[in-house]
Amino acid sequence: MEKLIITAAICGAEVTKAQNEAVPYTVEEMVREAKSAYEAGAAILHIHVREDDGTPTQNRDRFKVVMDAIRKELPDVIMIPSTGGATGMSPEERLQPTELFPEMATLDCGTCNFGDEIFDNTMPTMRAFGKRMIENGIKPEYECFELGHIDTVLGMAKKGEVPGHPMQFNFVLGVHGCTPATVENLAFFASKIPADATWTVSGVGRAAWTMAAAAIAMGGNVRVGFEDNIYLGKGQKAASNGELVAKVVRIAKELGREIATPAEAREILSLKPLQ
């Protein structure tokens, strides 16, 4: 198997300090959590940003400040800014991080229920996001919450509406109202993507560790972090994103998977090497 790429989703848009006081809001806190995840073994950081009071934002300038601060400390890490933002944001708001020309960014592949809210990703929205990423030379990570999302984005790639092969997918399983996080569902999702594609799983909540172990055994990659899960185990809150990443590393070692460095992750994902 190829080496395991670990992504750390360090803050998300929904989780708060009331749930876990280590959730980062400020630039300094974001750098702290980024370093903890990187030092534990994460090659990729999935980036949402917050205002200092914790309010989620897609503001281009806030992304630039946060990503520049992280890059200063971690010059080789791969950063994947979110274009999902938070439910209720307009497509124009959500696209702002693409103006910074990151090497990768997320592209959500369809509308779905998201708890009590609706995560709105219409076909025109997805075409606009795909067009922007083609124009700006950004490799998408295709976020799939439902099986139909895979079919949708594969069809768009055939039409040239989104960047094509080799594609990187992130299967987000366990969101309330979307596909349950079961090993059977994960295996089925993984069977539906092109042979030259790469994939990651994000297990939400209590499913995080089952999904991580299954993906490692299947040859996929793993995302963990406070966006998806704040617990190391039942009733045991993680003190940092680094603790969550370190647990993935331990599971991987037990199952015989080596951990990819950022340089190795770039090669696996067909990204340009750093100059």
Side-chain angles (χ1 to χ4, degrees):
M1 292 184 186
E2 289 183 314
K3 291 186 178 182
L4 174 68
I5 302 172
I6 302 175
T7 299
I10 57 179
C11 75
E14 310 293 339
V15 67
T16 67
K17 287 183 181 293
Q19 295 165 296
N20 186 323
E21 63 182 17
V23 172
Y25 295 167
T26 69
V27 176
E28 294 75 18
E29 289 169 345
M30 289 290 288
V31 171
R32 179 199 74 210
E33 288 304 305
K35 288 178 69 176
S36 78
Y38 175 89
E39 290 168 359
I44 298 175
L45 301 174
H46 173 53
I47 307 292
H48 285 259
V49 296
R50 310 283 192 95
E51 302 294 355
D52 285 353
D53 66 359
T55 303
T57 180
Q58 287 294 105
N59 181 271
R60 174 191 182 278
D61 293 337
R62 183 67 167 184
F63 266 99
K64 186 174 191 315
V65 169
V66 169
M67 291 174 69
D68 284 352
I70 292 172
R71 181 69 66 204
K72 182 178 179 181
E73 296 293 326
L74 308 171
D76 65 335
V77 77
I78 300 167
M79 283 186 272
I80 303 182
S82 171
T83 66
T87 53
M89 290 182 175
S90 70
E92 293 75 18
E93 282 181 275
R94 290 166 52 187
L95 271 174
Q96 288 182 77
T98 64
E99 298 169 11
L100 301 175
F101 295 88
E103 57 189 322
M104 295 185 72
T106 61
L107 197 160
D108 296 285
C109 297
T111 298
C112 55
N113 289 321
F114 206 90
D116 291 341
E117 299 179 300
I118 296 175
F119 187 26
D120 192 8
N121 294 286
T122 65
M123 292 302 299
T125 294
M126 293 163 60
R127 290 188 192 104
F129 282 39
K131 183 173 184 288
R132 172 68 62 82
M133 293 189 193
I134 290 170
E135 292 172 345
N136 288 14
I138 300 167
K139 181 183 176 80
E141 178 176 74
Y142 293 109
E143 311 294 302
C144 297
F145 298 78
E146 302 281 14
L147 183 62
H149 293 179
I150 298 174
D151 185 66
T152 295
V153 78
L154 290 177
M156 293 178 72
K158 286 182 180 178
K159 296 175 183 176
E161 294 174 334
V162 297
H165 305 292
M167 302 167 80
Q168 158 65 12
F169 291 84
N170 179 34
F171 306 137
V172 187
L173 304 182
V175 172
H176 182 62
C178 297
T179 305
T182 67
V183 175
E184 180 182 25
N185 286 340
L186 176 60
F188 195 61
F189 272 50
S191 74
K192 297 301 179 182
I193 62 174
D196 66 348
T198 52
W199 62 272
T200 297
V201 68
S202 300
V204 176
R206 68 184 65 185
W209 304 117
T210 302
M211 291 297 95
I216 293 166
M218 290 179 195
N221 301 295
V222 175
R223 188 180 96 174
V224 289
F226 285 152
E227 175 172 358
D228 304 321
N229 167 50
I230 59 173
Y231 291 95
L232 275 176
K234 186 174 182 180
Q236 183 186 0
K237 289 184 180 179
S240 69
N241 279 276
E243 285 196 344
L244 299 172
V245 172
K247 182 168 180 175
V248 176
V249 171
R250 291 195 299 273
I251 296 169
K253 287 183 177 178
E254 290 291 333
L255 296 176
R257 287 281 301 274
E258 294 184 50
I259 308 302
T261 65
E264 291 166 336
R266 282 189 172 86
E267 183 176 358
I268 293 167
L269 296 171
S270 301
L271 298 172
K272 294 179 181 178
L274 287 180
Q275 300 301 316

